[in-house]
Amino acid sequence: MDAPRVVLGVIGADCHSVGNKILDAFFSEAGFHVVNLGVMVSQDEFLDAAVESDAGAILVSSLYGHGLIDCEGLRQKAVERGLDRILLYAGGNLVVGKTAFEEVERKFKAMGFDRVFPPQVDLAAVAELLRKDLRSRKN
Amino acid sequence: MDAPRVVLGVIGADCHSVGNKILDAFFSEAGFHVVNLGVMVSQDEFLDAAVESDAGAILVSSLYGHGLIDCEGLRQKAVERGLDRILLYAGGNLVVGKTAFEEVERKFKAMGFDRVFPPQVDLAAVAELLRKDLRSRKN
Amino acid sequence: MTSNRLDWKDFLAQRRAVLDAWPTGRDVADIEDGLRYQRTIPEDKNFAKVMSRAKASGRTLIQPRAGVALIDDHIRLLRYLETEGTADLLPTTIDAYTRQNRYEEAARGIEKSMTAGTSLLNGFPAVNHGRDGCRKVTEAVRKPVQVRHGTPDARLLAEISLAGGFTSYEGGGISYNIPYAKKVEIGECLRNWQYVDRLAGYYEENGLAVNREPFGPLTGTLVPPFISHTIAILEGLLALEQGVKSLTLGYGQGGNVLQDLAALASLRELADAYFREAGFEDYDLTLVFHQWMGGFPEDEAQAFSVIATGAFVAAAARVEKTIVKSPHEAMGIPTKEANAAGLKATRQVLSMMADQRICADNAVIEREKDLIRREVGALMSAVRTASGDDLVQGIVRAFAGGLLDVPFAPSVFNRGKVLPVRDNEGYIRLFAKGSLPLGDDITSFHKERLQERSKAEGRPVTFQMVTDDIYAISKGKLIGRPK
Amino acid sequence: MTSNRLDWKDFLAQRRAVLDAWPTGRDVADIEDGLRYQRTIPEDKNFAKVMSRAKASGRTLIQPRAGVALIDDHIRLLRYLETEGTADLLPTTIDAYTRQNRYEEAARGIEKSMTAGTSLLNGFPAVNHGRDGCRKVTEAVRKPVQVRHGTPDARLLAEISLAGGFTSYEGGGISYNIPYAKKVEIGECLRNWQYVDRLAGYYEENGLAVNREPFGPLTGTLVPPFISHTIAILEGLLALEQGVKSLTLGYGQGGNVLQDLAALASLRELADAYFREAGFEDYDLTLVFHQWMGGFPEDEAQAFSVIATGAFVAAAARVEKTIVKSPHEAMGIPTKEANAAGLKATRQVLSMMADQRICADNAVIEREKDLIRREVGALMSAVRTASGDDLVQGIVRAFAGGLLDVPFAPSVFNRGKVLPVRDNEGYIRLFAKGSLPLGDDITSFHKERLQERSKAEGRPVTFQMVTDDIYAISKGKLIGRPK
Ligand code: B12
Ligand code: B12
């Protein structure tokens, strides 16, 4: 069986590259095929890569605070590009300022993200969820 | 003119002696005649000393948290002892736990204290008030 | 040197009167019951064993202060501190009425706390709650629990709490009198503490390790290391005489890092030297470092930094235990959250510094260690001369003559003529030495250092400078400079 | 050595295009207007002067990071930080769109922030607010204000903010590219920064002191001192070439106290040596120490302790300035209260340590200083060889060849082959040296130290160990040990 394919990147004008390198190493190690776009990735670049690689999920990072502005409309664009069933995950310091995570989660789910994660998330648990979500999308 | 007389002490089973020594030195320096009873002073000892020395004010310290229990009834007892016009000041860490000072003040004023002070009070300002209060009591 | 061990028959005779002082004393009448109960306590809940292990592994354990009026609340508090706060060792801080053996007032405090729905006592009234109340507490938690108090006559509290499953008992006949009481006669107090130590020694004789910890910081306010060291060593000797084996000596942060490091290193060395000289060999010595015991800044961010500097010294000195303050210190007894915050802040520094070796081979530390050694030597030999063959009498005479003198203490049996002040680098020195039997070499060193500061500040050394230093840390400085 | 100074005519020609990039550029078209305005700024609001005074008096100044979308909110924030937070120096942190010259997006951010009633930008969009917006800010406060950003092409921002009354400007052609950008060509970026430095130099020529501060910490993540030092010195040389006089070089806390102290001492010594060797004499060098720039613990009590350890090093090293983190660091841009808390915590440690001399004459510090000196020497001479007589070209070639390489950086022009990891005492060492031109003596020292850790932990040095170290401080440790 092929390794499940995911696209990874840090959205917008965000340069935080450390977490991105760790996520790449972690998900690769965990058996995913990771297409890592690095930092400063536009919505279009995410979607292009997802189309090209036939990925099942896009893992969006945003650390620098502009997550709300940068992620707005990504779900709609994905649908327009025919990526109806693609999973959208978001993680990092998604909004400006220390904010209750529930509120952040609500906002990002309202924008069409399937799952939202705080910076301290346990990556093993994420890999678990991702595998599960990918399987159920397949059916 | 004679130096105004005040009784000073730490009430109850309270052993905190450092502030007491400083208060003694400060008010003496500031021109008061201080009758310092030290630590672990009972209500009766305070009143006895006030009667004996014909003091205009009693400065009660409580640091250790039992201030509410220890100070209850002091005003009534003072009245019983004929000290109708004596000033009662309280200062220190008057209750158990970090508490809004307004609340502490309210409680101690309800018990008949004339003025109530937090630990960080500026002593020069207190001396000022004390002098003023003593003068107005005289009339 | 064990000649002064309290005679067992006398102990038992005294015991009857002790247990009669309050109804809960009856529950511990059978002394064997306490032993039987302690035998059921697993090793990793035994304070002495856990301290010993920390020593072997070079770890610094963290312990908060905490105690509230009611049993269930107290258990909730301790559980929170061991889980959320990651405390290695737990306390049970006793309320101030119990410390004065005022059990009726403690009873009233319990009642009032029940109706108020919050603790109106500043600690846990263990005597009133009795043996079974204590067992409920010590059984409810996973970590070893120590009684922390400040009780001049702590015999009944010791009986009840040891039978109640506590495995460590703080205090001593000097350190729980001079800073904590006003009119308690020193000889009487020391004899009451011989009882406590004898009780702990009895547990030891029966194979049950009980940790004993004299209270190092005394008044917590600019106490020069040699004064608290001398008292710690004397209390250590008194405890060893009664059969105590697990001994933790303490020192409170002074604020100058090098002086603190010198103090901790010399405390360990000097205690060992004096104990061995007195013929003791079979004991287990560990150290506790108290984060700054004087007035704290009101601002919580600043308080966190005072806590962190203390943790830093604890880490650098590799003490076995540090007692942790909270960001609420200046304001009142901490909430459980504030208490846990102090623990977590301390843990962070300790962990970050755990593998680092800073300030090793420092010439200034050696200079200060040598000074402390000579200062302690002077006081110890004066006490020895005053003692003849009875250390208790010697201590009584030493206080009466001002050969021992604790700054700012409330006791009328303490001369109170010694005044400390910081020098120009923040070392705690003597401004007034009272009658302390220090040689000229020592006093002139202190004087020189103070002249340096006096010159730098352009003012003479006076009580105002002492006052300024007392306030300094609470106002964000180490040294109380003018302006 | 001033041969590479940007020709003034070329500068002016370039200037027109720079100012055309956004409408607010027009307001600063008259370069003399900026000079006139800066002449009205009093000495104690001039960043360069205040840094210089700190150096003379041995004080460590404190500065936060802060910036929000709207002018009035930003002023309120800065005022709060200088009063409640007692900041000595103020920042204006620029938002991330402006940093990428995306002024339209910044404009949208301003609008959205206005309707949201809260800042949706992560900084102050100074270009959009223009010269007069900047003057409103710098006039509203009592302390000197610096622009802090991370902008590869920072020419327009420099023009507007210097004319707007800012007296210090952070950044450099390497330090604001490699960690902050992905596809910005190094030579182009360096030339744009020559423009910025030339502008600052022009102010200096006209008697107006402008402080310049290359960004020391780079990616803030386990950067070995010699890598950031080499880059700081190169950026210093480039700035001096353009006429900059007031230069503040930076270094980010690594976490091992002795390594950090060695790094700070050697940064000052090495920079001076290289600058003098290059023929510069008339400059004013000061140091800035950044509190831990990597991932912070989420828990605020733990965060306070990370802040305090940083403050401790700043105090011990007697740097002129320390940049302060807040207890919110791990979570998001701090509220003004959290930001002030970080400042107050830092102030407390600095004040308590101000008169203490710890870690003086430490042999380990000397060992590390010597190591850093040799490491920086190796890199500098490789860059020099690559340079011929054009340092810009040398730096471009050095990055292309991996002679310079910043760990974890996002830039595609950075090789990214260097991997740092901590040794068994927490010193940051090299696990993979990539193509860094280090001699065998140096690399074998690194290797030995890592073997020690590998042995202690019973596992090989791998990327997992690096990852563990990246997480370590945020999880309460210095070293990411297994289990
Ligand atoms: C040093 C100290 C001790 C020393 C005292 C030594 C001694 N004999 O003096 C030791 C270690 C022995 C000790 C013991 C205890 N302490 Co204590 N101690 C402190 C500490 C750290 C500093 C006190 C001090 O000396 N400050 C310096 C002096 C100059 O300031 P001050 O005492 O506040 O006095 C000034 C002001 O309050 C004001 N003031 C005081 N009275 C008055 C009156 C008037 C009229 C006016 C105008 C002003 C005024 O002016 C004074 C001079 O500036 C404080 C916390 C803190 N402040 O940081 C806790 C603190 C007071 N202690 C506390 C407690 C609970 C205890 C204990 C019960 C033990 C325990 N559970 O931890 C025992 C008390 C036993 C007993 N019987 O009293 C609590 C009180 C809690 C509360 N109120 O909620 C505090 C606040 C610590 C805490 N946060 O838990 N303590
Ligand atoms: C190091 C750092 C920098 C370095 C980055 C170097 C580099 N190129 O990587 C430098 C100094 C250059 C920098 C710059 C800036 N930074 Co910065 N930075 C940090 C810091 C301290 C650590 C980040 C880090 O590397 N952490 C370690 C890695 C391993 O963790 P991580 O990045 O969080 O990633 C993990 C998780 O978030 C999660 N995750 C991330 N994405 C995703 C996605 C999915 C799907 C999942 C499941 C999980 C997941 O898994 C990752 C791996 O464990 C953080 C604060 C902190 N965390 O303590 C601030 C922080 C992220 N930075 C911040 C800001 C604002 C900036 C700046 C705008 C400058 C400023 N105003 O201060 C600029 C950004 C410019 C730009 N164009 O982006 C803010 C963001 C604020 C907010 N969201 O409210 C933070 C939170 C600091 C703060 N409290 O103000 N920064």
Side-chain angles (χ1 to χ4, degrees), chain C residues 147 190 361 388:
Chain C
V147 186
L190 288 170
D361 300 323

Side-chain angles (χ1 to χ4, degrees), chain B residues 83-139:
Chain B
L83 297 164
D84 300 75
R85 302 175 60 98
I86 198 154
L87 280 170
L88 296 182
Y89 277 26
N93 300 87
L94 290 163
V95 301
V96 169
K98 184 168 181 169
T99 312
F101 178 68
E102 296 66 41
E103 197 184 313
V104 177
E105 192 175 25
R106 200 177 39 70
K107 284 186 174 158
F108 275 78
K109 290 209 159 163
M111 289 198 298
F113 282 82
D114 297 290
R115 294 196 187 268
V116 189
F117 303 95
Q120 288 76 20
V121 64
D122 172 29
L123 297 181
V126 178
E128 214 44 55
L129 285 172
L130 184 52
R131 231 183 288 278
K132 210 190 77 198
D133 286 352
L134 284 171
R135 266 199 305 273
S136 60
R137 288 282 157 131
K138 279 255 169 65
N139 312 326

Side-chain angles (χ1 to χ4, degrees), chain D residues 370-392:
Chain D
D370 181 61
L371 177 67
I372 293 170
R373 189 183 50 69
R374 288 183 290 135
E375 291 166 334
V376 170
L379 268 58
M380 283 297 290
S381 75
V383 173
R384 228 187 252 137
T385 309
S387 293
D389 60 359
D390 184 5
L391 193 50
V392 168

Side-chain angles (χ1 to χ4, degrees), chain C residues 48-309:
Chain C
K49 299 273 165 62
V50 171
M51 286 297 287
S52 198
R53 242 181 272 155
K55 185 178 179 179
S57 67
R59 274 190 73 202
T60 299
L61 306 176
I62 62 177
Q63 183 182 17
R65 291 186 177 79
V68 288
L70 307 178
I71 295 176
D72 290 345
D73 293 348
H74 186 59
I75 289 175
R76 250 189 303 278
L77 174 57
L78 295 190
R79 281 190 175 153
Y80 185 85
L81 295 174
E82 72 176 354
T83 52
E84 182 60 21
T86 74
D88 297 305
L89 300 165
L90 291 171
T92 287
T93 302
I94 305 301
D95 72 289
Y97 293 133
T98 301
R99 293 166 183 225
Q100 303 296 323
N101 313 97
R102 303 192 191 172
Y103 308 118
E104 276 98 357
E105 283 167 87
R108 228 176 307 138
I110 294 176
E111 267 167 49
K112 287 201 179 189
S113 301
M114 265 163 20
T115 44
T118 168
S119 180
L120 295 179
L121 290 179
N122 55 15
F124 180 79
V127 167
N128 291 59
H129 289 312
R131 183 198 69 177
D132 295 344
C134 290
R135 289 185 182 176
K136 253 180 118 170
V137 169
T138 54
E139 282 172 17
V141 296
R142 292 192 321 262
K143 300 284 161 60
V145 201
Q146 178 186 47
V147 186
R148 301 189 67 85
H149 47 131
T151 313
D153 178 358
R155 294 172 296 170
L156 180 54
L157 180 62
E159 289 279 4
I160 287 177
S161 56
L162 290 189
F166 288 91
T167 49
S168 176
Y169 200 73
E170 201 196 20
I174 304 169
S175 62
Y176 266 11
N177 176 8
I178 302 300
Y180 282 97
K182 185 177 180 176
K183 293 174 178 167
V184 174
E185 211 264 317
I186 295 176
E188 186 193 315
C189 185
L190 288 170
R191 280 183 293 272
N192 289 339
W193 274 91
Q194 284 183 315
Y195 179 102
V196 171
D197 284 327
R198 190 71 203 83
L199 180 64
Y202 179 70
Y203 274 77
E204 286 282 359
E205 284 159 26
N206 284 276
L208 293 160
V210 171
N211 176 252
R212 284 274 298 111
E213 177 184 330
F215 176 65
L218 303 173
T219 51
T221 305
L222 303 178
V223 180
F226 76 93
I227 294 182
S228 52
H229 281 18
T230 304
I231 291 171
I233 292 167
L234 290 171
E235 292 192 351
L237 286 170
L238 289 167
L240 295 172
E241 274 185 1
Q242 302 304 326
V244 166
K245 301 263 172 253
S246 169
L247 198 57
T248 303
L249 296 190
Y251 168 72
Q253 183 180 9
N256 177 292
V257 172
L258 297 182
Q259 184 173 42
D260 285 338
L261 291 175
L264 287 164
S266 64
L267 180 55
R268 206 186 288 271
E269 291 171 19
L270 292 172
D272 262 327
Y274 284 102
F275 294 166
R276 278 169 200 284
E277 191 194 296
F280 298 106
E281 302 219 313
D282 175 25
Y283 61 87
D284 185 17
L285 176 67
T286 47
L287 293 194
V288 53
F289 179 65
H290 295 252
Q291 292 176 356
W292 177 245
M293 288 293 289
F296 250 66
E298 181 187 9
D299 180 86
E300 296 189 19
Q302 294 176 245
F304 270 119
S305 279
V306 178
I307 289 170
T309 61

